[in-house]
Amino acid sequence: MDVRIVVETTFENGTTQTRRLGRLSRPFRDTQPKGFGLLIEDAKSMLWQLQQTILRDQIEEISEASRVSPDCNKVRAIHGYRPSVLDTLFGRFQVKAPRIRRCACNAKSEVALGGPLSPLARFSPDRSTPELQRLQAEPGARHSFREAARIMEMFLPCAKQANTSVRDRLGKIAKKISGSEYVEPAVSSAGKSAAPVTVFPDGAHIRSRPEYQKRHLDVVVGKIESSHMCRRFGLVQQAAQAPAR
Ligand SMILES: [Zn+2]
């Protein structure tokens, strides 16, 4: 059999647009167990194309709607397009964000506010969708940053995930959550600001094997980073002489 995937978009003004996303071929005589149903590679490719289609239509609709002046209902001219990159869970895309000229009808008040309007700017202040930011932080909080990046790449058609960007995203979200509780690094006695130090702790509980060992082990490992140094540490609390130190 052949499966054809078609997307139909109906815009708010009533017009519709149909796009073909692709097709799958499953000739039953040749189908092996590993070719049964939808496969991850097909799904990733389709999600990528679906995201591209939805984004393109959404940008077009928002851009056209934003051109209408709320004061005089005239269609405002497009000043130009600013190319930018948008990172989403389902891929990284080049988008052309329109910049719209302000209307002459209330030029005095509007021109005072600045240049052309960018109606898409508020949707991706960080050049990435909030969903992607959240999903980078969540596995990043549960697994190692490298593992979190690998899991995302395995199941999603997202752009290549660097372990450092997962770490930075988690850091940003942690800072946002702690909000007012975030304490700026203390000032040292010399009067100079201490460089911020980040600690990444991790650990594991290792069960003893009764035939060999008498006790379980709690292992603590981690990494300490600042702008000028990076140290790794590891200890077994029961075996260390001064674990707190
Ligand atoms: Zn106007």
Side-chain angles (χ1 to χ4, degrees):
M1 67 180 195
D2 276 319
V3 181
R4 200 154 58 92
I5 294 119
V6 176
V7 177
E8 190 186 274
T9 308
T10 305
F11 295 96
E12 233 172 74
N13 63 12
T15 57
T16 58
Q17 192 152 37
T18 308
R19 287 200 185 89
R20 287 171 63 165
L21 282 203
R23 64 196 308 161
L24 292 175
S25 180
R26 293 285 185 274
F28 75 92
R29 284 177 217 285
D30 311 332
T31 298
Q32 301 293 318
K34 64 178 183 187
F36 208 56
L38 185 67
L39 306 178
I40 187 77
E41 283 313 313
D42 301 326
K44 280 164 84 170
S45 148
M46 266 175 226
L47 279 171
W48 189 93
Q49 291 180 73
L50 188 59
Q51 180 74 302
Q52 188 189 41
T53 304
I54 293 174
L55 274 176
R56 193 159 48 188
D57 289 348
Q58 222 174 353
I59 288 171
E60 193 182 306
E61 184 169 59
I62 293 169
S63 308
E64 281 308 305
S66 309
R67 289 182 64 186
V68 179
S69 164
D71 299 301
C72 66
N73 280 332
K74 274 189 197 157
V75 177
R76 296 178 283 194
I78 290 182
H79 182 77
Y81 291 90
R82 182 173 282 165
S84 70
V85 172
L86 179 65
D87 246 333
T88 80
L89 265 186
F90 306 112
R92 178 175 289 168
F93 300 90
Q94 298 282 341
V95 294
K96 276 186 1 186
R99 300 172 75 217
I100 296 168
R101 289 220 175 107
R102 292 172 192 271
C103 190
C105 70
N106 56 357
K108 272 181 199 159
S109 62
E110 278 203 313
V111 165
L113 295 172
L117 302 158
S118 300
L120 293 170
R122 69 187 177 95
F123 291 102
S124 55
D126 276 349
R127 294 184 174 189
S128 58
T129 56
E131 191 183 35
L132 174 72
Q133 295 173 22
R134 189 172 57 76
L135 258 123
Q136 279 174 323
E138 181 155 351
R142 294 173 195 278
H143 306 277
S144 73
F145 302 135
R146 216 174 287 276
E147 182 64 5
R150 195 186 68 84
I151 292 170
M152 288 182 73
E153 284 175 24
M154 195 191 316
F155 295 109
L156 295 165
C158 55
K160 187 151 179 56
Q161 301 289 305
N163 56 324
T164 45
S165 55
V166 173
R167 180 196 65 185
D168 294 347
R169 189 74 72 195
L170 179 65
K172 269 188 194 166
I173 293 210
K175 211 178 253 188
K176 230 184 251 177
I177 291 170
S178 58
S180 56
E181 290 165 36
Y182 177 69
V183 181
E184 286 294 326
V187 175
S188 71
S189 54
K192 280 196 280 179
S193 285
V197 169
T198 313
V199 183
F200 306 96
D202 201 350
H205 177 75
I206 301 171
R207 292 181 66 83
S208 72
R209 293 183 61 184
E211 67 271 36
Y212 295 120
Q213 295 142 341
K214 288 200 177 72
R215 59 185 183 185
H216 304 309
L217 292 179
D218 286 308
V219 181
V220 181
V221 293
K223 195 174 172 190
I224 304 172
E225 263 186 32
S226 75
S227 56
H228 58 276
M229 70 98 171
C230 169
R231 281 178 62 186
R232 290 184 168 82
F233 64 90
L235 66 104
V236 173
Q237 204 166 347
Q238 300 99 313
Q241 292 208 328
R245 189 167 60 82

